[in-house]
Amino acid sequence: MSKFPNLRLRRMRRTDSIRNLTRETSLSVDDLICPVFVIHGQNVREEITPIPGYYHLSLDQLPREINEIANLGIHAVLLFGLPDYKDPQGSGAYASNGIIQNAIRVAKREAPGLTVVTDVCLCEYTNHGHCGILDDSGVNNDQTLGLLSRIALSHGEAGADIVAPSAMMDGQVGAIRAALDKNNLSDLPIMAYSAKYASSFYDPFRVAADSTPITGDRRSYQMDSGNVREAMREIRLDLEEGADIIMIKPALAYLDVIARARREFEEPLCAYNVSGEYSMVKAAEHLGWIDGNHIALEVLTGIKRAGADIIISYHAKEVAQMLQEAHSV
Ligand code: PBG
């Protein structure tokens, strides 16, 4: 009985409304986190060339961006900062009046209901561009942990809603959790960049964040792209150390990792649809080779279908706009 010609799967594809009723995975603006880049200075609103639609914003320009994002119905932003000085210890990252700490205050003042997530890392703030402190043999894991804890603490004290450690140091989630708990921030959640791969998909971001390492690369701390079992181990360790949300990054070349993490873990799962994934779409759209809007929806739907609950994406603004328009029809 249940085969052709009695069974015809095309029946369920006949109209928009039937397709809507039977769709297994739907995108919602609730799923999205939108990145924002802040910089020192005044009246700065400079488009980041390889990430079109995203800007280096001075703090006086931040309210406008925050309002635009909030008006699109997006509930969360991920802040990245460019400091006015860099040193070997990345001290600008944990200055109480640093660029991110001030940006958190501006964002929370402008839109108290908006969830402000912060990236806890050193690479934008160190003069060598690595995600930790250097010694003779490379990035020193254990010495870096104290600094990452100070960064997370300074973000929490400035009012961040979620801190997201991305340095890929062993033990970073546990160290940060302990520091937060000791300082009255036991309610502040940690979103762990658990399985963060060493990836060329970050190249546009490194232009945006001025964080390309001046020597070497990040392969001694970020993951090798061939590994998926190791990703499960990274996630398991982060959960044992107290992560509240786990993350896989990048997204598109790692959908199998997302799908496997979804099967193995119950916790909220985030995927970071990174800068290079966005830039490629924008470049092809600019050349007239693809329909950027449709591709953006397809990309984010694919990441969600693979198993992500939360998606950090530069497509957030345009997709939120499309979802808003679709609802108002
Ligand atoms: C900081 C950090 C990076 C990204 C997010 N946090 C860069 C890196 O690890 O080199 C990349 C994000 C993107 O490409 O959009 N360590």
Side-chain angles (χ1 to χ4, degrees):
M1 179 67 178
S2 57
K3 60 183 210 264
F4 179 81
N6 303 342
L7 182 65
R8 292 175 181 270
L9 295 186
R10 285 184 56 191
R11 285 180 199 130
M12 289 292 111
R13 297 177 198 145
R14 278 183 49 240
T15 65
D16 259 344
S17 111
I18 294 177
R19 286 191 292 270
N20 288 344
L21 282 170
T22 57
R23 183 170 301 117
E24 297 170 39
T25 305
S26 298
L27 267 184
S28 155
V29 73
D30 294 343
D31 309 327
L32 303 176
I33 300 181
C34 184
V36 172
F37 294 88
V38 287
I39 193 165
H40 283 275
Q42 278 198 334
N43 243 336
V44 185
R45 184 180 158 87
E46 239 174 71
E47 192 163 30
I48 300 164
T49 310
I51 316 183
Y54 285 77
Y55 301 83
H56 284 138
L57 299 167
S58 52
L59 293 180
D60 55 330
Q61 300 292 311
L62 183 58
R64 170 176 161 195
E65 181 80 0
I66 291 292
N67 283 320
E68 267 180 38
I69 290 170
N71 288 336
L72 287 167
I74 298 170
H75 311 296
V77 293
L78 174 58
L79 291 181
F80 294 103
L82 286 84
D84 53 353
Y85 66 95
K86 298 185 187 232
D87 59 25
Q89 284 78 35
S91 61
Y94 41 91
S96 57
N97 264 317
I99 183 74
I100 286 292
Q101 292 75 7
N102 287 335
I104 294 166
R105 294 184 195 104
V106 172
K108 291 306 291 184
R109 192 183 321 129
E110 200 59 31
L114 190 77
T115 294
V116 173
V117 188
T118 58
D119 187 81
V120 176
C121 196
L122 284 156
C123 61
E124 294 108 304
Y125 303 88
T126 50
N127 53 7
H128 45 72
H130 279 287
C131 301
I133 297 183
L134 290 186
D135 63 18
D136 294 342
S137 54
V139 174
N140 185 304
N141 190 89
D142 296 12
Q143 279 178 23
T144 301
L145 296 182
L147 296 189
L148 294 173
S149 302
R150 285 179 70 177
I151 301 173
L153 202 54
S154 72
H155 292 176
E157 282 166 353
D161 296 296
I162 299 178
V163 289
S166 72
M168 287 300 281
M169 294 299 122
D170 288 325
Q172 63 182 12
V173 172
I176 289 171
R177 184 73 271 160
L180 296 177
D181 290 355
K182 217 184 296 162
N183 288 278
N184 285 325
L185 289 166
S186 53
D187 284 338
L188 181 60
I190 297 176
M191 176 163 81
Y193 286 74
S194 303
K196 178 175 178 180
Y197 289 88
S199 171
S200 288
F201 284 106
Y202 309 149
D203 288 357
F205 173 93
R206 290 186 189 162
V207 175
D210 186 25
S211 64
T212 307
I214 54 170
T215 54
D217 54 44
R218 303 208 204 288
R219 286 182 296 175
S220 75
Y221 42 102
Q222 299 182 345
M223 281 184 56
D224 187 281
S225 67
N227 295 353
V228 62
R229 297 193 304 269
E230 187 191 5
M232 300 305 111
R233 297 179 74 195
E234 283 282 5
I235 292 172
R236 196 165 296 117
L237 286 171
D238 280 356
L239 289 170
E240 282 167 14
E241 291 176 30
D244 301 283
I245 301 171
I246 52 181
M247 194 203 298
I248 288 155
K249 174 187 173 195
L252 286 185
Y254 301 87
L255 291 177
D256 60 316
V257 185
I258 297 172
R260 179 148 169 192
R262 177 70 301 156
R263 283 197 303 276
E264 292 194 21
F265 300 98
E266 309 289 336
E267 287 79 2
L269 176 59
C270 178
Y272 196 145
N273 175 218
V274 299
S275 56
E277 301 177 286
Y278 174 81
S279 304
M280 292 193 305
V281 175
K282 288 289 147 186
E285 178 182 41
H286 183 70
L287 289 167
W289 290 351
I290 56 162
D291 179 326
N293 280 356
H294 281 131
I295 296 261
L297 284 173
E298 202 172 325
V299 161
L300 296 195
T301 303
I303 296 169
K304 189 157 180 206
R305 193 187 62 242
D309 303 303
I310 303 166
I311 305 171
I312 304 168
S313 178
Y314 303 88
H315 291 297
K317 290 192 273 189
E318 60 194 9
V319 164
Q321 178 93 46
M322 283 184 259
L323 293 172
Q324 232 171 33
E325 284 161 14
H327 282 296
S328 62
V329 177

